[in-house]
Amino acid sequence: MKNSFDFSKLTLNIEFLRNFKHTKTIVKIFIFAFLVLYLYVLFMPRETIYTISGETEHMEIEFAQDIINEWDVSKGLLITNILIDDSIILPEDSYLFVDNLTNVQISINEKSKSTYTLVLSLNNKNGSIGVIEAPDNIIELSSYAEISLPINNSFILPFHGKVYLGNDVGRGVNNILLNGNVRIIEEQLLKDGRYIGGDFPLDIGDRVELFVDSQMSEISKVKGFMKITDNKYYEFIVHGEGDKVKVERLGSSGYEISPSFWYRITNDPIVAALSSVIAILFLLMEFSSLLFNYIKKEQ
């Protein structure tokens, strides 16, 4: 009877091990499929908004066609030909309306001690810059113009277009980016929510551009505004969708800013939940392996 009992017990153990191995194979397949799903969720494209803010002495904008690009240029000094003295003082309630693809470089000149002038250097390689609408006159602009605005009070200039922040540091360059910050705001998966995907400081002298694609072949169109005050610099903030920010820094090859997967894991609730499930599955696998080895030793 003893031998019969031992044989029966051995048979049960062998059958259990066979079933266990089969179950373990199924679990491995399930975990592999779950990992593939997890990686897809982790790396899948998201809508990413970049917010870039700071203080600068120089900025360049290529305008898009948008009513937001309407600037008050009252009392500004308009020059349309640098070879001759054709300057005029614009009357009160004069507004600049720019055409699509018009480029403007924005800097501040020190007129005298504690007195500054905002300088807008405009050009359009494709034709007209746009028009200036005054109360009693409409001034048609050609492909070049310069407008100098006295800074008597603080004012805001909104814009929509491609933005180039800062300036190349080199000989003869006096106006540069002073400081700033790049914030990534990323879309949550399957939810109408967002989370901060990183904050990155900018240094004095940096040159910053936001690109639509990871190959950095096209600049993103952004919306933002400048706050002009009685200083040699002005504050700015821009918001735009994109894939990558490129920062050029003197003395280095520069660097790129893009969303971090770590922020997705820690801040996106769905990705965080999937990460927890994976951790539990691996713990169960480790426990099952220990149990399997224990049963084999007991045979």
Side-chain angles (χ1 to χ4, degrees):
M1 293 294 293
K2 183 178 180 181
N3 292 336
S4 176
F5 175 78
D6 290 340
F7 179 76
S8 175
K9 183 179 180 182
L10 179 61
T11 302
L12 287 172
N13 283 340
I14 291 172
E15 188 65 26
F16 176 79
L17 289 173
R18 285 176 180 171
N19 292 334
F20 189 82
K21 285 182 178 179
H22 181 67
T23 303
K24 189 176 179 182
T25 302
I26 294 174
V27 170
K28 284 183 177 179
I29 294 172
F30 173 76
I31 291 176
F32 176 77
F34 194 86
L35 279 174
V36 171
L37 173 64
Y38 176 75
L39 291 174
Y40 172 75
V41 168
L42 184 62
F43 288 95
M44 71 181 296
R46 310 280 189 91
E47 184 181 75
T48 305
I49 295 175
Y50 287 83
T51 295
I52 309 173
S53 59
E55 297 172 337
T56 188
E57 299 170 329
H58 182 89
M59 180 190 297
E60 186 176 338
I61 303 170
E62 183 183 286
F63 288 107
Q65 196 71 47
D66 195 324
I67 191 64
I68 197 176
N69 299 321
E70 174 189 332
W71 288 3
D72 187 349
V73 290
S74 301
K75 302 297 183 181
L77 177 67
L78 172 65
I79 300 173
T80 57
N81 192 330
I82 58 176
L83 300 178
I84 60 174
D85 185 12
D86 66 345
S87 60
I88 61 170
I89 300 294
L90 297 170
E92 198 70 51
D93 296 326
S94 294
Y95 292 90
L96 171 66
F97 296 87
V98 293
D99 287 342
N100 190 37
L101 301 180
T102 292
N103 182 282
V104 58
Q105 295 189 34
I106 306 151
S107 57
I108 292 181
N109 287 348
E110 188 172 359
K111 192 173 182 181
S112 61
K113 189 175 181 180
S114 301
T115 304
Y116 301 99
T117 302
L118 183 70
V119 180
L120 310 176
S121 298
L122 302 117
N123 69 83
N124 192 329
K125 296 178 181 178
N126 300 305
S128 171
I129 292 168
V131 300
I132 293 176
E133 293 187 3
D136 301 319
N137 189 22
I138 294 180
I139 304 173
E140 300 281 350
L141 300 173
S142 60
S143 60
Y144 172 82
E146 183 176 289
I147 302 174
S148 299
L149 292 171
I151 305 175
N152 300 320
N153 299 297
S154 63
F155 57 93
I156 289 176
L157 296 177
F159 56 83
H160 178 204
K162 298 179 180 180
V163 174
Y164 308 84
L165 295 165
N167 204 357
D168 293 324
V169 177
R171 184 177 179 180
V173 174
N174 297 316
N175 299 314
I176 58 175
L177 178 76
L178 299 179
N179 61 72
N181 183 75
V182 178
R183 169 167 287 187
I184 300 175
I185 303 173
E186 199 167 42
E187 180 184 34
Q188 288 185 8
L189 182 67
L190 303 178
K191 293 184 71 175
D192 187 19
R194 297 185 181 275
Y195 58 87
I196 296 175
D199 279 295
F200 304 88
L202 299 172
D203 288 345
I204 183 171
D206 283 351
R207 182 171 171 82
V208 187
E209 297 167 343
L210 172 60
F211 287 88
V212 173
D213 56 332
S214 58
Q215 291 77 30
M216 296 187 293
S217 61
E218 183 182 352
I219 301 290
S220 295
K221 291 181 180 179
V222 300
K223 286 189 176 182
F225 64 88
M226 296 164 285
K227 184 177 182 181
I228 314 299
T229 58
D230 194 12
N231 288 302
K232 197 180 181 301
Y233 61 86
Y234 50 91
E235 299 175 57
F236 69 88
I237 186 166
V238 300
H239 309 280
E241 294 182 19
D243 190 86
K244 191 174 292 185
V245 167
K246 182 181 180 182
V247 180
E248 295 181 8
R249 181 165 292 174
L250 184 66
S252 71
S253 58
Y255 62 94
E256 298 163 5
I257 297 173
S258 57
S260 167
F261 297 118
W262 175 249
Y263 280 97
R264 286 186 179 181
I265 293 171
T266 55
N267 293 291
D268 191 315
I270 293 178
V271 177
L274 292 176
S275 301
S276 300
V277 171
I278 287 176
I280 292 170
L281 288 174
F282 275 110
L283 286 174
L284 289 175
M285 278 193 66
E286 185 65 24
F287 176 76
S288 64
S289 295
L290 292 173
L291 180 61
F292 180 77
N293 292 332
Y294 174 78
I295 294 172
K296 284 184 70 176
K297 288 179 181 179
E298 290 295 314
Q299 286 186 13

